[in-house]
Amino acid sequence: ILNLSVLPSDLIFGTKQILDLIGFTENEGGIPIHAEQASTLSVQFDGNEISIRYRRKNEFFRALNLLKRYGTQKTFFVEEHCIADEFGVMLDCSRNAVRNLTHLKEFIGYIALEGYNQLQLYTEDTYEIQGEPYFGYLRGRYTQDELCEIVNYADNFGIEVVPCIQTLAHLNQLFRWSSQYEKIHDIDDILFNPVGVVFVQSVSRTSRTVGSYHATEVFVFTAETFGNRTERHKLYIVLMCGDTKMRRSF
């Protein structure tokens, strides 16, 4: 049983959200837990009080996990050093399932206890774009308000939510609506350039400015555009082989 009344105010909400995950409860008659910023992460229990020192906000929640691990001892002191400034995980929110808010919040709680400070949401067509009603239609896409809620919730644990978007390939779900996106479709799941560049710019602007993400970076994927420009624009390569000319279409 922990007494959270002496914690800094910006740590109390996040701590209450994950107490169940580590098997603790809250009561003013419990063991006082103190926290202050320092140059490194440490947890100490002297038999009467718990003292946590942390460099960044996310490290405090890592300290709660350490408290669970060593909490059966009468007294203890443990210290950790994280060598990475960014420590995160990418969560697929496009294939097989789009995680709902309840699941995402639970997931954030678990990674907070591991000391993560970044959550990357891989979203192909599963977020809202103004003026594009078929983008993510019937796919469980996140609205701007939902993304804002996710970002604000993660911030309670010192976790930055980073958008990960596709801009050239992996948009096969989008092209199910062929009547809407025929003009920007090249082949398979690939955008047709240069017409598709207008759509890409719309996607990029939305991801940066929806107000949902507070991230200082956006991950833009352009990989695996196999077959790009081979359907709408045939490429011809003339192979010279002695006096024989062969024209091959790719």
Side-chain angles (χ1 to χ4, degrees):
I1 301 176
L2 302 178
N3 180 356
L4 309 182
S5 62
V6 292
L7 277 180
S9 58
D10 63 326
L11 299 176
I12 292 178
F13 177 82
T15 302
K16 288 182 176 181
Q17 298 305 303
I18 59 176
L19 281 182
D20 287 344
L21 299 181
I22 53 178
F24 290 118
T25 57
E26 172 204 2
N27 190 286
E28 290 188 0
I31 300 173
I33 177 170
H34 302 269
E36 62 178 355
Q37 286 192 285
S39 58
T40 190
L41 165 62
S42 66
V43 186
Q44 181 176 7
F45 178 52
D46 62 6
N48 296 307
E49 294 184 338
I50 299 165
S51 296
I52 294 177
R53 293 186 174 184
Y54 60 97
R55 186 163 55 102
R56 293 177 297 196
K57 190 175 184 178
N58 62 293
E59 292 185 347
F60 169 80
F61 296 97
R62 169 63 180 170
L64 293 182
N65 200 1
L66 296 175
L67 180 60
K68 176 186 178 182
R69 182 183 303 178
Y70 297 98
T72 56
Q73 301 180 20
K74 293 183 178 180
T75 61
F76 67 86
F77 175 82
V78 59
E79 189 176 68
E80 279 191 352
H81 301 272
C82 183
I83 62 173
D85 290 329
E86 292 182 353
F87 187 46
V89 59
M90 181 182 292
L91 186 63
D92 193 338
C93 296
S94 296
R95 293 165 292 195
N96 298 322
V98 180
R99 275 74 175 177
N100 60 32
L101 295 191
T102 300
H103 176 88
L104 272 179
K105 289 180 179 181
E106 182 181 3
F107 186 81
I108 288 170
Y110 281 114
I111 65 173
L113 290 171
E114 295 299 328
Y116 285 71
N117 64 3
Q118 190 176 92
L119 172 61
Q120 302 166 10
L121 296 183
Y122 176 71
T123 50
E124 293 176 350
D125 67 324
T126 51
Y127 56 94
E128 185 179 42
I129 294 182
Q130 292 180 354
E132 296 289 341
Y134 284 90
F135 189 86
Y137 181 58
L138 298 180
R139 288 267 287 145
R141 65 186 173 198
Y142 296 117
T143 66
Q144 294 182 15
D145 288 341
E146 288 173 332
L147 286 174
C148 189
E149 183 176 345
I150 293 168
V151 168
N152 290 335
Y153 185 81
D155 186 60
N156 288 293
F157 304 93
I159 296 174
E160 179 185 49
V161 181
V162 177
C164 303
I165 63 174
Q166 287 287 355
T167 56
L168 290 178
H170 295 281
L171 295 171
N172 54 300
Q173 297 296 328
L174 181 66
F175 296 129
R176 293 188 304 173
W177 312 106
S178 56
S179 62
Q180 298 295 319
Y181 295 108
E182 181 181 5
K183 291 183 179 180
I184 63 172
H185 188 200
D186 187 355
I187 187 173
D188 298 332
D189 61 351
I190 299 171
L191 282 176
F192 166 57
N193 291 304
V195 178
V197 73
V198 177
F199 178 74
V200 170
Q201 290 172 346
S202 173
V203 170
S204 300
R205 284 195 302 270
T206 299
S207 298
R208 287 198 304 268
T209 63
V210 288
S212 350
Y213 290 106
H214 303 159
T216 55
E217 56 190 2
V218 177
F219 288 177
V220 178
F221 293 87
T222 60
E224 298 181 321
T225 54
F226 305 124
N228 186 27
R229 297 180 71 107
T230 62
E231 184 66 19
R232 298 289 290 273
H233 284 290
K234 296 290 186 180
L235 302 181
Y236 294 96
I237 297 179
V238 177
L239 302 179
M240 302 300 295
C241 183
D243 292 333
T244 304
K245 293 183 178 180
M246 296 181 296
R247 173 169 286 183
R248 183 173 298 177
S249 175
F250 290 86

